[in-house]
Amino acid sequence: MPDEALHTALETKHISLPVEGMTCASCSSRIERQLKKLEGVLDASVNLTLETADVHFDPGQIRARDIKESIEKTGFIVPERIVELSIEGMTCASCSARIEKQLDILPGVSDASVNLADETARVVLTHARPASVVRAIQKAGFEATIIEDVEAFGAEDAKKDQQRLQKDFVNLAFAAALTIPLWADMIAGMMGFDWTLSRMSQLILATAVQFGAGLRFYVPAFKAVRAGSGNMDLLVVLGTTAAWGLSATRVIQGLEGHLYFEGAATVITLILFGRFLESRAKRGTTGAIRALMKLRPDTARVISEDGEEVEIPASAVKTGDVVVIRPGERVPVDGEVIQGETDMNESLITGESLPVAKAVGDDVIGGAINGDGMVRVRATRVGEASTLAEIIQSVQNAQSSKAPVQKLVDNIAAIFVPVVILIALATWGGWVLVGAGWEVGMINAVTVLVIACPCALGLATPTAIMVGTGVAAKHGILIKDAAAMEQAQGISAVVFDKTGTLTEGQLKVKSVHPMGGDEAAFLNLVASVQHGSEHPIAQAVLRSVETKLSPVEAFKSHPGKGVEGVVEGRHIYIGNRALMAEVGLNDVALEDASQGLERRGNTVVWVVEVGKGMLGSIAVGDKPKPTAQAAVAELEAMGLNTWMLTGDNRRSAEVMAEKLGVYNVMAEVLPDGKADEVKRLQSVGHKVAMVGDGVNDAPALAQADIGIAMGTGSDVAMHTATITLMRGAPELVAGALKVSQATLRKIRQNLFWAFIYNIIALPLAASGFLSPAIAGAAMAMSSVSVVTNSLLLKRWKLGE
C-alpha cells in the first residue's frame, strides 16, 4: 500500500448509524447528499432496507456527534442510548483524557464524557453495545461498571467512598509511621545529635513505604504504560523509584554516598496525605446528589383492593395507586391529593422555604415532607418519570457535562506526562553538562517528576461544575449543562414572556360590555364558543360562567388572534384587533370602545357575529407576581436590559410594564413571532436570555443564547430550555445567572492556579531550588487547594 494511502486508512474512522423515519429512496438519497457535503466525510452510504447510514470520515475534521446531528437536521432520527458508568483507577487529567480518547475511536459511540471528580463516564451509543464500552475502558487500564439504578448506585457509591477513605487513612498512617523515623534521623543529623538509624534499617523502612504504601501508585502506572500512555502515578513512580533505587544500591553494595530514603518516603507519604484530603473534599462536591437521593422514602403505604393499608417498597408503587401519607412523613411519589388537607415542605426540591398548602385536587411532589395533616394521594408519576428522579438526572447530566474551556485542559492533559518526562531528562542532562554531576542532576530530575501536577488541571473544571450545579439545585435552579453556565457570562438582555412569568397567569374577567341584551346570556355565548380552547383568556371566561354551556361546532383557533365557532346556528368570532380586522370590523370603533379599559392594563377581546356585526367586548386582566418588580430591579442593577414580550395590545402592555419597572416592551407579538423578536435583539449585538413557561415559548427559548423555563409551565418549554426554575419565582432568573457566573469564576480561578502552579514550579524544580520532599508537599496541596476553592461555592446564597 502506498504511504499516502496507508496514512489515509489510519486516519479514517467508520461508523454505521441506525436511521429511523425513512420511507422511500428519496429519503436515503437526501441523507447521503447531506452527509457528503460535510467537511471531513470521505464517503457515505445509506441503506433504506437496513435503515442504516455507513459513513467513513476523518476524526480530525469532524466528530461522530456532528454526523448524527446532520442526519437529524434533514428530518430523521438517529436513536441513541445513554450509558452511565462508574470508573475505578483514575488519578489525574491524563487518565480521563486517555479513557475519552479510547471511547472516541470505538465504533457506535457518538459522544463520551469522563468526569474525573466523581469518577464516572457518560457515553452516548448509537449501535455499540455497553459491554464494548466496558471492554474499551478496561483496555485503557481501568475498571468500569455500568450504573443500572442511579439511586441504588448513589447509596452504594457513598458506602464505597467511605470504605475507600478508611482504607486510604490506614495506608497513610502506615506510611507516616514508617517515615517518621527517617525524618528523625535526618533532623538529628542536622541538629548535631549523636544518633542515627543504621543504613539497613533505613532501607527496610523506606522499602516498606515504597512498595507497601506506595503500591497504589505502581499499579495504575503499570497499566498506563501497558496502554501506551502516562499519568501522574507514573511520574511519582519514576521519581521516587529513582531516589530509592540509588540509595538501595549504595546500601546493598556497601558504597559510600548520601542516601535519599527519607526523600522518597516523604514524597509518597505527602502525596498519600494530599490524596486523602482530596478524596474527602471531593465527597463534598457530590453532596447535592446524595441529599436528593435521600429524599425519597424506602417504603410507601398503599390502599389495597380490600381497602386496607399495605406497606410496600416505594419503587413498587404504580401509577393510579392510592398512597396514605401521615403527618411528618416524606411523600413517596408524585400525585394528586384526593382526600384530606395539609401543608408540605418542598424546600429541598423547589427551594421554596415556606410550607405549601395542599387540598383535594392539588399536586404533591415526591420527596416533600408532610405537615400536620393526613392525606391520601393518587400516584401520577412514579419511578424515572417522577419529578425527583428527573431533578436527580438533570443535576447528574449537568455535573457530567464539560464546559467548552475544558477542551483546552484535555488537550494539555493528553501531552502533559510525556512533556514532563522530557523536561526531567533535560534537567538531568543539563546539570551533568554544567559539571554538577549525575547525582545532582538526578535529584533535580526527580523533583521535576514529583512536582508536576496534572491532577489540579483535571479537577479544576468538574469540581466547580459539580458544586455549582448542586447549590443551584438546592435553590430550585436546574442547569442543563456546563455550556449554559459559560453562556450566562455574557448575557446582556433578559426577555420575559409576560403571562405566567412576570404575572400570575390567572386571568380574570374584569368587566363585560354587551352591545345590548342580557349580560349573562352574552357571557354564556362567549363561554360556549371558547370551551374548546385552552387559552388563558378562554379559561378566564369559562371560570366566570356558572350556567350550562351550549355545544360548539366548527371550532377553530386562530393562534395569537382568537377563536371562532358556531353555537346554536350563530357563527361567532372572538378575538383581538388582528382577528377583527380579518372579519372587516372598523378599527376606529374598536379604539373608542377600548381606550379606557386598556389604560387600566386590561386586555380587551371583541365578540362579532357573522351577519350581525359587533355583539360586545370583554375586558380581562392579570396581576403581577409579588416578587416580579423586585426581580426586574435586580436584573437592571446587574446592568442587564429587561424586556417584556406579550401578545397584548401596546397600551395595556405598557401599563403592566410600568407596574413592573420594565422599560422595554414588545407588544402585539404573535406566538410564532417570539423567536423572531429574540433573533432581532441578537442581530443588534445582544446576548439574550429568554424566560417563558408555555408551549408557544419553546421556539424563542431555543433561539435564545440561554432559555429559562418556569417549572410551573409546560413540559415542552422545560425540555427546550437550558435552565429550569423549579418554582414560578421570577427572582430565580437573576439567581440562575449569578450562580452560573460564580461557578465560571471558580473555574477560571482553579485553572489559573493549576496553570500558574506548573509554570512556576517546574522551572524552580529544574533549577535546583526545591527538594523532592518540598515538591511532593506542593504537588499534594495543589489539587487539594483546587477542590477546596470549588467547595467555597457552597456558601452561595440566593440574592447575593
Side-chain angles (χ1 to χ4, degrees):
M1 183 183 287
D3 290 345
E4 185 177 344
L6 177 61
H7 175 73
T8 302
L10 289 173
E11 292 296 320
T12 300
K13 182 178 176 182
H14 168 256
I15 56 170
S16 180
L17 300 174
V19 182
E20 294 180 356
M22 294 188 294
T23 56
C24 61
S26 62
C27 296
S28 56
S29 60
R30 186 161 86 248
I31 296 172
E32 274 190 16
R33 286 196 302 272
Q34 178 71 18
L35 291 174
K36 289 177 180 178
K37 289 178 185 176
L38 299 175
E39 186 176 353
V41 171
L42 307 175
D43 188 33
S45 175
V46 180
N47 190 310
L48 175 63
T49 306
L50 298 178
E51 295 186 316
T52 58
D54 288 281
V55 185
H56 294 267
F57 64 98
D58 179 356
Q61 292 183 282
I62 190 171
R63 301 175 304 164
R65 163 67 59 181
D66 300 323
I67 295 171
K68 173 183 177 295
E69 289 175 354
S70 178
I71 294 174
E72 289 175 338
K73 282 179 182 177
T74 62
F76 302 92
I77 298 171
V78 179
E80 60 184 23
R81 176 184 176 185
I82 297 174
V83 176
E84 303 272 355
L85 301 107
S86 171
I87 300 177
E88 293 183 13
M90 291 192 297
T91 57
C92 65
S94 299
C95 299
S96 54
R98 187 161 86 247
I99 295 172
E100 283 190 359
K101 184 178 179 181
Q102 191 74 21
L103 293 175
D104 280 340
I105 62 173
L106 187 67
V109 171
S110 63
D111 194 33
S113 176
V114 179
N115 190 322
L116 173 63
D118 66 355
E119 299 178 328
T120 60
R122 187 172 187 267
V123 186
V124 181
L125 308 179
T126 50
H127 63 282
R129 294 182 303 166
S132 301
V133 175
V134 172
R135 182 62 187 142
I137 295 172
Q138 289 173 341
K139 282 182 178 179
F142 304 90
E143 292 301 320
T145 306
I146 296 173
I147 302 172
E148 299 287 356
D149 185 328
V150 173
E151 291 189 40
F153 170 75
E156 184 182 337
D157 193 48
K159 187 177 179 181
K160 281 185 177 179
D161 274 350
Q162 189 60 40
Q163 292 172 345
R164 192 182 303 133
L165 271 177
Q166 291 172 353
K167 185 178 177 181
D168 287 350
F169 180 76
V170 171
N171 201 35
L172 170 62
F174 173 76
L178 297 184
T179 304
I180 287 172
L182 297 172
W183 291 342
D185 180 75
M186 178 182 66
I187 294 169
M190 291 170 61
M191 296 181 70
F193 291 115
D194 187 20
W195 179 84
T196 184
L197 274 175
S198 69
R199 291 161 70 92
M200 186 56 68
S201 297
Q202 291 184 50
L203 173 60
I204 293 170
L205 291 171
T207 302
V209 174
Q210 186 75 34
F211 301 104
L215 184 63
R216 63 167 294 172
F217 300 115
Y218 281 87
V219 173
F222 172 73
K223 289 181 177 179
V225 171
R226 192 174 61 182
S229 184
N231 58 9
M232 192 209 75
D233 299 287
L234 180 60
L235 299 180
V236 173
V237 165
L238 288 175
T240 59
T241 304
W244 175 88
L246 172 62
S247 303
T249 301
R250 285 177 171 172
V251 171
I252 293 169
Q253 294 184 2
L255 303 175
E256 293 298 320
H258 184 75
L259 301 182
Y260 299 97
F261 286 131
E262 84 287 340
T266 298
V267 166
I268 286 178
T269 302
L270 288 174
I271 294 176
L272 287 174
F273 180 58
R275 288 275 183 91
F276 177 72
L277 293 179
E278 179 189 315
S279 297
R280 283 191 57 143
K282 279 162 64 176
R283 274 176 58 83
T285 66
T286 58
I289 286 289
R290 289 200 300 272
L292 286 169
M293 288 178 173
K294 289 178 182 177
L295 290 182
R296 196 178 78 170
D298 295 328
T299 60
R301 292 186 186 85
V302 176
I303 302 298
S304 62
E305 293 181 359
D306 59 4
E308 295 295 322
E309 290 184 20
V310 180
E311 192 170 288
I312 64 172
S315 58
V317 178
K318 305 295 183 186
T319 302
D321 285 351
V322 175
V323 180
V324 178
I325 306 166
R326 294 176 181 172
E329 292 183 339
R330 286 199 181 276
V331 180
V333 292
D334 292 2
E336 179 185 348
V337 178
I338 60 172
Q339 183 181 318
E341 294 182 358
T342 189
D343 52 55
M344 292 187 177
N345 182 346
E346 300 175 345
S347 60
L348 286 173
I349 303 157
T350 66
E352 174 58 65
S353 57
L354 298 175
V356 181
K358 301 293 181 182
V360 174
D362 290 336
D363 292 330
V364 299
I365 304 174
I369 301 174
N370 190 23
D372 296 330
M374 186 170 78
V375 292
R376 291 192 176 193
V377 171
R378 177 173 286 109
T380 55
R381 299 173 70 185
V382 299
E384 293 183 0
S386 69
T387 301
L388 184 57
E390 289 182 350
I391 292 173
I392 292 171
Q393 187 62 55
S394 176
V395 174
Q396 286 186 318
N397 289 347
Q399 292 185 343
S400 64
S401 66
K402 288 196 174 186
V405 71
Q406 182 69 18
K407 291 178 182 177
L408 171 64
V409 177
D410 290 343
N411 290 335
I412 293 172
I415 61 171
F416 188 89
V417 173
V419 168
V420 169
I421 292 174
L422 288 175
I423 293 173
L425 290 172
T427 298
W428 194 343
W431 282 99
V432 171
L433 288 175
V434 298
W438 69 270
E439 187 171 333
V440 172
M442 187 201 75
I443 293 303
N444 289 330
V446 167
T447 306
V448 167
L449 291 171
V450 171
I451 205 166
C453 186
C455 290
L457 283 173
L459 293 169
T461 301
T463 53
I465 289 171
M466 290 172 74
V467 179
T469 53
V471 76
K474 184 179 177 182
H475 288 86
I477 302 166
L478 297 184
I479 299 173
K480 191 173 186 179
D481 53 35
M485 287 183 155
E486 196 154 320
Q487 287 279 28
Q489 185 68 15
I491 292 297
S492 59
V494 180
V495 179
F496 287 93
D497 179 69
K498 186 201 77 172
T499 305
T501 55
L502 291 173
T503 67
E504 296 285 1
Q506 289 289 323
L507 295 175
K508 292 183 179 179
V509 174
K510 299 294 185 180
S511 57
V512 181
H513 307 276
M515 297 294 287
D518 182 24
E519 181 178 306
F522 172 71
L523 198 58
N524 183 278
L525 173 67
V526 176
S528 296
V529 174
Q530 293 193 322
H531 80 258
S533 172
E534 294 294 327
H535 194 279
I537 292 178
Q539 294 301 306
V541 173
L542 289 167
R543 284 193 296 270
S544 68
V545 177
E546 297 179 356
T547 55
K548 185 179 179 181
L549 301 179
S550 302
V552 61
E553 299 174 352
F555 175 84
K556 183 179 179 182
S557 175
H558 297 266
K561 300 175 183 178
V563 298
E564 67 173 295
V566 177
V567 174
E568 296 179 350
R570 303 168 67 182
H571 192 167
I572 308 295
Y573 283 88
I574 304 169
N576 58 17
R577 283 181 175 79
L579 186 60
M580 294 303 106
E582 289 184 9
V583 298
L585 201 65
N586 189 322
D587 191 53
V588 175
L590 300 180
E591 284 296 322
D592 293 341
S594 65
Q595 279 188 20
L597 295 170
E598 290 176 349
R599 284 198 187 100
R600 292 195 290 272
N602 295 317
T603 297
V604 181
V605 292
W606 289 270
V607 184
V608 174
E609 182 177 352
V610 175
K612 289 189 177 180
M614 174 78 77
L615 296 182
S617 63
I618 296 175
V620 296
D622 201 355
K623 63 179 182 180
K625 289 183 175 179
T627 58
Q629 188 175 10
V632 171
E634 186 177 1
L635 290 168
E636 291 283 347
M638 292 168 62
L640 304 177
N641 293 303
T642 54
W643 295 73
M644 188 180 81
L645 177 65
T646 178
D648 293 350
N649 66 84
R650 178 158 294 278
R651 193 179 291 121
S652 61
E654 287 177 346
V655 170
M656 180 60 74
E658 187 176 352
K659 290 180 183 177
L660 295 166
V662 180
Y663 300 107
N664 305 295
V665 179
M666 303 170 181
E668 301 175 18
V669 179
L670 296 178
D672 56 3
K674 292 181 179 181
D676 293 333
E677 293 296 328
V678 171
K679 197 180 296 183
R680 181 175 63 81
L681 285 178
Q682 291 170 326
S683 68
V684 295
H686 278 298
K687 199 170 178 182
V688 181
M690 172 71 196
V691 188
D693 71 336
V695 173
N696 58 22
D697 296 326
L701 291 170
Q703 174 63 41
D705 297 280
I706 290 182
I708 303 176
M710 294 287 188
T712 52
S714 72
D715 288 343
V716 175
M718 286 186 281
H719 284 304
T720 306
T722 48
I723 297 176
T724 299
L725 310 180
M726 288 306 295
R727 61 185 193 276
E731 67 269 24
L732 291 182
V733 174
L737 297 178
K738 285 182 175 180
V739 74
S740 297
Q741 291 164 1
T743 302
L744 198 61
R745 281 196 299 273
K746 285 298 178 190
I747 290 174
R748 287 173 175 168
Q749 290 168 10
N750 289 346
L751 287 175
F752 172 79
W753 165 245
F755 279 117
I756 207 72
Y757 164 82
N758 283 289
I759 289 170
I760 294 173
L762 286 171
L764 285 176
S767 302
F769 289 107
L770 302 174
S771 69
I774 293 174
M779 192 275 280
M781 296 313 297
S782 65
S783 55
V784 173
S785 63
V786 163
V787 178
T788 303
N789 188 45
S790 295
L791 286 173
L792 293 177
L793 268 174
K794 283 190 167 187
R795 300 187 301 181
W796 183 86
K797 296 286 190 295
L798 196 63
E800 291 184 351

PDB file of all heavy atoms in Angstrom, residues 298-320:
ATOM      1  N   ASP A 298     -37.990   4.857  51.616  1.00  0.00           N
ATOM      2  CA  ASP A 298     -37.826   3.484  51.122  1.00  0.00           C
ATOM      3  C   ASP A 298     -39.163   2.776  50.934  1.00  0.00           C
ATOM      4  O   ASP A 298     -39.300   1.897  50.087  1.00  0.00           O
ATOM      5  CB  ASP A 298     -36.954   2.670  52.086  1.00  0.00           C
ATOM      6  CG  ASP A 298     -35.531   3.207  52.151  1.00  0.00           C
ATOM      7  OD1 ASP A 298     -35.053   3.719  51.118  1.00  0.00           O
ATOM      8  OD2 ASP A 298     -34.913   3.118  53.224  1.00  0.00           O
ATOM      9  N   THR A 299     -40.161   3.139  51.767  1.00  0.00           N
ATOM     10  CA  THR A 299     -41.448   2.437  51.721  1.00  0.00           C
ATOM     11  C   THR A 299     -42.607   3.418  51.531  1.00  0.00           C
ATOM     12  O   THR A 299     -42.454   4.628  51.734  1.00  0.00           O
ATOM     13  CB  THR A 299     -41.689   1.646  53.019  1.00  0.00           C
ATOM     14  OG1 THR A 299     -41.693   2.554  54.130  1.00  0.00           O
ATOM     15  CG2 THR A 299     -40.605   0.594  53.213  1.00  0.00           C
ATOM     16  N   ALA A 300     -43.750   2.868  51.149  1.00  0.00           N
ATOM     17  CA  ALA A 300     -44.977   3.660  50.987  1.00  0.00           C
ATOM     18  C   ALA A 300     -46.170   2.829  51.468  1.00  0.00           C
ATOM     19  O   ALA A 300     -46.149   1.590  51.377  1.00  0.00           O
ATOM     20  CB  ALA A 300     -45.169   4.050  49.525  1.00  0.00           C
ATOM     21  N   ARG A 301     -47.176   3.518  52.014  1.00  0.00           N
ATOM     22  CA  ARG A 301     -48.411   2.843  52.427  1.00  0.00           C
ATOM     23  C   ARG A 301     -49.443   2.989  51.310  1.00  0.00           C
ATOM     24  O   ARG A 301     -49.882   4.096  51.004  1.00  0.00           O
ATOM     25  CB  ARG A 301     -48.960   3.453  53.722  1.00  0.00           C
ATOM     26  CG  ARG A 301     -48.086   3.189  54.937  1.00  0.00           C
ATOM     27  CD  ARG A 301     -48.766   3.705  56.199  1.00  0.00           C
ATOM     28  NE  ARG A 301     -47.876   3.588  57.346  1.00  0.00           N
ATOM     29  CZ  ARG A 301     -46.969   4.503  57.672  1.00  0.00           C
ATOM     30  NH1 ARG A 301     -46.861   5.600  56.935  1.00  0.00           N
ATOM     31  NH2 ARG A 301     -46.187   4.337  58.717  1.00  0.00           N
ATOM     32  N   VAL A 302     -49.836   1.858  50.741  1.00  0.00           N
ATOM     33  CA  VAL A 302     -50.761   1.850  49.606  1.00  0.00           C
ATOM     34  C   VAL A 302     -52.075   1.199  50.033  1.00  0.00           C
ATOM     35  O   VAL A 302     -52.070   0.211  50.787  1.00  0.00           O
ATOM     36  CB  VAL A 302     -50.142   1.095  48.405  1.00  0.00           C
ATOM     37  CG1 VAL A 302     -51.134   0.982  47.254  1.00  0.00           C
ATOM     38  CG2 VAL A 302     -48.869   1.795  47.934  1.00  0.00           C
ATOM     39  N   ILE A 303     -53.190   1.756  49.561  1.00  0.00           N
ATOM     40  CA  ILE A 303     -54.510   1.174  49.835  1.00  0.00           C
ATOM     41  C   ILE A 303     -54.715  -0.015  48.903  1.00  0.00           C
ATOM     42  O   ILE A 303     -54.699   0.133  47.678  1.00  0.00           O
ATOM     43  CB  ILE A 303     -55.634   2.203  49.639  1.00  0.00           C
ATOM     44  CG1 ILE A 303     -55.419   3.412  50.546  1.00  0.00           C
ATOM     45  CG2 ILE A 303     -56.989   1.569  49.902  1.00  0.00           C
ATOM     46  CD1 ILE A 303     -55.438   3.087  52.014  1.00  0.00           C
ATOM     47  N   SER A 304     -54.901  -1.195  49.487  1.00  0.00           N
ATOM     48  CA  SER A 304     -55.084  -2.408  48.683  1.00  0.00           C
ATOM     49  C   SER A 304     -56.524  -2.495  48.172  1.00  0.00           C
ATOM     50  O   SER A 304     -57.365  -1.649  48.493  1.00  0.00           O
ATOM     51  CB  SER A 304     -54.752  -3.645  49.523  1.00  0.00           C
ATOM     52  OG  SER A 304     -55.643  -3.740  50.623  1.00  0.00           O
ATOM     53  N   GLU A 305     -56.799  -3.540  47.398  1.00  0.00           N
ATOM     54  CA  GLU A 305     -58.137  -3.701  46.808  1.00  0.00           C
ATOM     55  C   GLU A 305     -59.219  -3.876  47.859  1.00  0.00           C
ATOM     56  O   GLU A 305     -60.375  -3.518  47.637  1.00  0.00           O
ATOM     57  CB  GLU A 305     -58.125  -4.901  45.855  1.00  0.00           C
ATOM     58  CG  GLU A 305     -57.264  -4.682  44.608  1.00  0.00           C
ATOM     59  CD  GLU A 305     -57.292  -5.885  43.690  1.00  0.00           C
ATOM     60  OE1 GLU A 305     -57.965  -6.886  44.040  1.00  0.00           O
ATOM     61  OE2 GLU A 305     -56.649  -5.830  42.628  1.00  0.00           O
ATOM     62  N   ASP A 306     -58.857  -4.431  49.021  1.00  0.00           N
ATOM     63  CA  ASP A 306     -59.868  -4.610  50.069  1.00  0.00           C
ATOM     64  C   ASP A 306     -59.933  -3.412  51.019  1.00  0.00           C
ATOM     65  O   ASP A 306     -60.567  -3.467  52.075  1.00  0.00           O
ATOM     66  CB  ASP A 306     -59.584  -5.891  50.868  1.00  0.00           C
ATOM     67  CG  ASP A 306     -58.203  -5.876  51.522  1.00  0.00           C
ATOM     68  OD1 ASP A 306     -57.506  -4.835  51.403  1.00  0.00           O
ATOM     69  OD2 ASP A 306     -57.822  -6.894  52.127  1.00  0.00           O
ATOM     70  N   GLY A 307     -59.250  -2.310  50.659  1.00  0.00           N
ATOM     71  CA  GLY A 307     -59.344  -1.086  51.436  1.00  0.00           C
ATOM     72  C   GLY A 307     -58.375  -0.980  52.596  1.00  0.00           C
ATOM     73  O   GLY A 307     -58.394   0.012  53.333  1.00  0.00           O
ATOM     74  N   GLU A 308     -57.501  -1.952  52.765  1.00  0.00           N
ATOM     75  CA  GLU A 308     -56.555  -1.931  53.876  1.00  0.00           C
ATOM     76  C   GLU A 308     -55.238  -1.271  53.453  1.00  0.00           C
ATOM     77  O   GLU A 308     -54.866  -1.287  52.270  1.00  0.00           O
ATOM     78  CB  GLU A 308     -56.269  -3.365  54.348  1.00  0.00           C
ATOM     79  CG  GLU A 308     -57.483  -4.079  54.943  1.00  0.00           C
ATOM     80  CD  GLU A 308     -57.977  -3.424  56.218  1.00  0.00           C
ATOM     81  OE1 GLU A 308     -57.126  -2.968  57.011  1.00  0.00           O
ATOM     82  OE2 GLU A 308     -59.204  -3.344  56.395  1.00  0.00           O
ATOM     83  N   GLU A 309     -54.530  -0.690  54.434  1.00  0.00           N
ATOM     84  CA  GLU A 309     -53.217  -0.107  54.163  1.00  0.00           C
ATOM     85  C   GLU A 309     -52.157  -1.209  54.123  1.00  0.00           C
ATOM     86  O   GLU A 309     -52.090  -2.043  55.028  1.00  0.00           O
ATOM     87  CB  GLU A 309     -52.830   0.909  55.253  1.00  0.00           C
ATOM     88  CG  GLU A 309     -53.643   2.179  55.217  1.00  0.00           C
ATOM     89  CD  GLU A 309     -53.149   3.185  56.242  1.00  0.00           C
ATOM     90  OE1 GLU A 309     -51.988   3.049  56.691  1.00  0.00           O
ATOM     91  OE2 GLU A 309     -53.911   4.104  56.602  1.00  0.00           O
ATOM     92  N   VAL A 310     -51.345  -1.197  53.075  1.00  0.00           N
ATOM     93  CA  VAL A 310     -50.280  -2.185  52.924  1.00  0.00           C
ATOM     94  C   VAL A 310     -48.966  -1.446  52.698  1.00  0.00           C
ATOM     95  O   VAL A 310     -48.892  -0.553  51.842  1.00  0.00           O
ATOM     96  CB  VAL A 310     -50.549  -3.132  51.734  1.00  0.00           C
ATOM     97  CG1 VAL A 310     -49.426  -4.137  51.598  1.00  0.00           C
ATOM     98  CG2 VAL A 310     -51.882  -3.841  51.900  1.00  0.00           C
ATOM     99  N   GLU A 311     -47.938  -1.784  53.441  1.00  0.00           N
ATOM    100  CA  GLU A 311     -46.643  -1.140  53.279  1.00  0.00           C
ATOM    101  C   GLU A 311     -45.819  -1.896  52.248  1.00  0.00           C
ATOM    102  O   GLU A 311     -45.584  -3.095  52.383  1.00  0.00           O
ATOM    103  CB  GLU A 311     -45.905  -1.093  54.618  1.00  0.00           C
ATOM    104  CG  GLU A 311     -44.677  -0.195  54.593  1.00  0.00           C
ATOM    105  CD  GLU A 311     -44.088   0.049  55.976  1.00  0.00           C
ATOM    106  OE1 GLU A 311     -44.710   0.793  56.772  1.00  0.00           O
ATOM    107  OE2 GLU A 311     -43.028  -0.535  56.254  1.00  0.00           O
ATOM    108  N   ILE A 312     -45.392  -1.184  51.201  1.00  0.00           N
ATOM    109  CA  ILE A 312     -44.612  -1.797  50.116  1.00  0.00           C
ATOM    110  C   ILE A 312     -43.413  -0.908  49.815  1.00  0.00           C
ATOM    111  O   ILE A 312     -43.368   0.257  50.211  1.00  0.00           O
ATOM    112  CB  ILE A 312     -45.462  -1.985  48.834  1.00  0.00           C
ATOM    113  CG1 ILE A 312     -45.893  -0.614  48.282  1.00  0.00           C
ATOM    114  CG2 ILE A 312     -46.666  -2.870  49.100  1.00  0.00           C
ATOM    115  CD1 ILE A 312     -46.572  -0.686  46.916  1.00  0.00           C
ATOM    116  N   PRO A 313     -42.403  -1.427  49.094  1.00  0.00           N
ATOM    117  CA  PRO A 313     -41.283  -0.562  48.692  1.00  0.00           C
ATOM    118  C   PRO A 313     -41.786   0.598  47.837  1.00  0.00           C
ATOM    119  O   PRO A 313     -42.675   0.410  46.986  1.00  0.00           O
ATOM    120  CB  PRO A 313     -40.379  -1.499  47.888  1.00  0.00           C
ATOM    121  CG  PRO A 313     -40.731  -2.873  48.369  1.00  0.00           C
ATOM    122  CD  PRO A 313     -42.195  -2.831  48.687  1.00  0.00           C
ATOM    123  N   ALA A 314     -41.246   1.773  48.043  1.00  0.00           N
ATOM    124  CA  ALA A 314     -41.680   2.950  47.279  1.00  0.00           C
ATOM    125  C   ALA A 314     -41.492   2.732  45.780  1.00  0.00           C
ATOM    126  O   ALA A 314     -42.276   3.234  44.967  1.00  0.00           O
ATOM    127  CB  ALA A 314     -40.908   4.181  47.737  1.00  0.00           C
ATOM    128  N   SER A 315     -40.473   1.966  45.413  1.00  0.00           N
ATOM    129  CA  SER A 315     -40.221   1.703  43.993  1.00  0.00           C
ATOM    130  C   SER A 315     -41.285   0.820  43.358  1.00  0.00           C
ATOM    131  O   SER A 315     -41.368   0.739  42.136  1.00  0.00           O
ATOM    132  CB  SER A 315     -38.843   1.042  43.829  1.00  0.00           C
ATOM    133  OG  SER A 315     -38.777  -0.163  44.583  1.00  0.00           O
ATOM    134  N   ALA A 316     -42.107   0.162  44.195  1.00  0.00           N
ATOM    135  CA  ALA A 316     -43.141  -0.737  43.671  1.00  0.00           C
ATOM    136  C   ALA A 316     -44.480  -0.036  43.444  1.00  0.00           C
ATOM    137  O   ALA A 316     -45.419  -0.633  42.925  1.00  0.00           O
ATOM    138  CB  ALA A 316     -43.338  -1.910  44.634  1.00  0.00           C
ATOM    139  N   VAL A 317     -44.601   1.231  43.842  1.00  0.00           N
ATOM    140  CA  VAL A 317     -45.850   1.971  43.651  1.00  0.00           C
ATOM    141  C   VAL A 317     -46.079   2.198  42.159  1.00  0.00           C
ATOM    142  O   VAL A 317     -45.180   2.578  41.421  1.00  0.00           O
ATOM    143  CB  VAL A 317     -45.803   3.326  44.384  1.00  0.00           C
ATOM    144  CG1 VAL A 317     -47.081   4.113  44.137  1.00  0.00           C
ATOM    145  CG2 VAL A 317     -45.608   3.117  45.878  1.00  0.00           C
ATOM    146  N   LYS A 318     -47.320   1.932  41.712  1.00  0.00           N
ATOM    147  CA  LYS A 318     -47.683   2.087  40.304  1.00  0.00           C
ATOM    148  C   LYS A 318     -48.570   3.317  40.123  1.00  0.00           C
ATOM    149  O   LYS A 318     -49.230   3.773  41.053  1.00  0.00           O
ATOM    150  CB  LYS A 318     -48.434   0.842  39.793  1.00  0.00           C
ATOM    151  CG  LYS A 318     -47.695  -0.464  40.007  1.00  0.00           C
ATOM    152  CD  LYS A 318     -46.405  -0.523  39.213  1.00  0.00           C
ATOM    153  CE  LYS A 318     -45.702  -1.869  39.375  1.00  0.00           C
ATOM    154  NZ  LYS A 318     -44.382  -1.878  38.722  1.00  0.00           N
ATOM    155  N   THR A 319     -48.594   3.834  38.905  1.00  0.00           N
ATOM    156  CA  THR A 319     -49.482   4.956  38.579  1.00  0.00           C
ATOM    157  C   THR A 319     -50.928   4.554  38.852  1.00  0.00           C
ATOM    158  O   THR A 319     -51.374   3.485  38.434  1.00  0.00           O
ATOM    159  CB  THR A 319     -49.324   5.354  37.106  1.00  0.00           C
ATOM    160  OG1 THR A 319     -47.957   5.702  36.854  1.00  0.00           O
ATOM    161  CG2 THR A 319     -50.221   6.536  36.758  1.00  0.00           C
ATOM    162  N   GLY A 320     -51.659   5.401  39.568  1.00  0.00           N
ATOM    163  CA  GLY A 320     -53.051   5.120  39.911  1.00  0.00           C
ATOM    164  C   GLY A 320     -53.236   4.581  41.321  1.00  0.00           C
ATOM    165  O   GLY A 320     -54.342   4.607  41.859  1.00  0.00           O
TER     166      GLY A 320
END
